[in-house]
Amino acid sequence: MKLLIITAIAEFEKDIKKLLKNAEVATFSYRNVMSYKDVSEEFIETNWFASEMNETESLLFYALVPKEKVDFFFQLVADFNAQQPTKAKVQVAVLNIEKTN
């Protein structure tokens, strides 16, 4: 088993659920979270909001999946991200699970 951890902006909620369904991941959990980005090092011209700490409403998904489904899910996410016109992307990580019950 592997643990998928997925983060994205809240606007991608339906898209992530569709990606999970397409990868045949039927069971997952998610919750609303706030993401922060320290932009104090960016030039003022690229920082539209002129704030050093930007917050974004985001989602955190997690799912235990068989290892055989991991690569396919990563490819689905890569394809989805490649089609996005914005800087916002779906981020995914995978962790090994040594034991479950």
Side-chain angles (χ1 to χ4, degrees), residues 6 12 16 18-19 23 27 29 31-33 35-37 56 58 61 63 69-70 82 84-87 96:
I6 307 153
F12 288 163
I16 294 171
K18 184 178 177 182
L19 293 171
T27 305
S29 299
R31 60 180 294 122
N32 296 316
V33 296
S35 297
Y36 293 89
K37 181 177 181 183
T56 305
S58 300
F61 285 77
K69 295 184 180 186
V70 170
Q84 296 311 307
T86 65
K87 287 186 177 182
N96 289 323

Side-chain angles (χ1 to χ4, degrees), residues 9-101:
I9 58 173
E11 289 81 0
F12 288 163
E13 179 179 349
K14 289 181 183 179
D15 299 302
I16 294 171
K17 289 177 180 177
K18 184 178 177 182
L19 293 171
L20 288 164
K21 183 176 182 175
N22 289 345
E24 299 178 350
V25 177
T27 305
F28 59 88
S29 299
Y30 77 100
R31 60 180 294 122
N32 296 316
V33 296
M34 291 301 291
S35 297
Y36 293 89
K37 181 177 181 183
D38 181 359
V39 293
S40 60
E41 298 297 318
E42 289 185 22
F43 291 110
I44 194 70
E45 296 87 24
T46 61
N47 185 355
W48 289 9
F49 301 105
S51 171
E52 290 186 4
M53 292 297 285
N54 289 331
E55 299 183 349
T56 305
E57 290 183 24
S58 300
L59 298 170
L60 173 67
F61 285 77
Y62 39 100
L64 288 170
V65 299
K67 63 181 176 181
E68 298 81 25
K69 295 184 180 186
V70 170
D71 289 337
F72 181 61
F73 185 76
F74 267 78
Q75 187 58 54
L76 290 174
V77 169
D79 294 344
F80 176 83
N81 284 339
Q83 297 174 13
Q84 296 311 307
T86 65
K87 287 186 177 182
K89 305 291 183 202
V90 173
Q91 302 292 321
V92 62
V94 63
L95 301 172
N96 289 323
I97 301 298
E98 293 183 25
K99 192 184 274 191
T100 62
N101 63 3

